[in-house]
Amino acid sequence: PIVTTPSGPVAWRSVPSWYAVSGSDRMIDPAEERWMATRASAQTIEFADASHVGGITRYSAQFTALVERAARATTH
């Protein structure tokens, strides 16, 4: 059964990761976001006054740069 089949090891322990923290997020506590990023050893960027999706919309150039860095790092 699908429900009881283990998925295997989690990828964030072995695969490089990146995380954008939205400092004014009211959906996910920014402290929780920072904790998750630290736990995954993620390269992190923080948008201090961004809402939940503010990092993607309001800071689109910086967010795009983060995604591009991640893409370059994982394609080699």
Side-chain angles (χ1 to χ4, degrees):
I2 293 173
V3 176
T4 59
T5 304
S7 63
V10 293
W12 57 261
R13 289 192 174 140
S14 59
V15 175
S17 60
W18 288 260
Y19 200 103
V21 174
S22 296
S24 294
D25 198 327
R26 291 169 49 176
M27 297 287 289
I28 304 171
D29 182 0
E32 194 72 19
E33 292 182 31
R34 289 183 205 97
W35 177 82
M36 290 186 287
T38 300
R39 182 178 183 207
S41 298
Q43 293 187 37
T44 307
I45 187 169
E46 182 159 349
F47 305 109
D49 60 343
S51 64
H52 187 64
V53 295
I56 297 170
T57 57
R58 187 170 176 194
Y59 298 97
S60 60
Q62 295 95 324
F63 187 81
T64 300
L66 176 71
V67 172
E68 288 172 344
R69 276 197 324 263
R72 281 191 302 273
T74 57
T75 57
H76 298 185

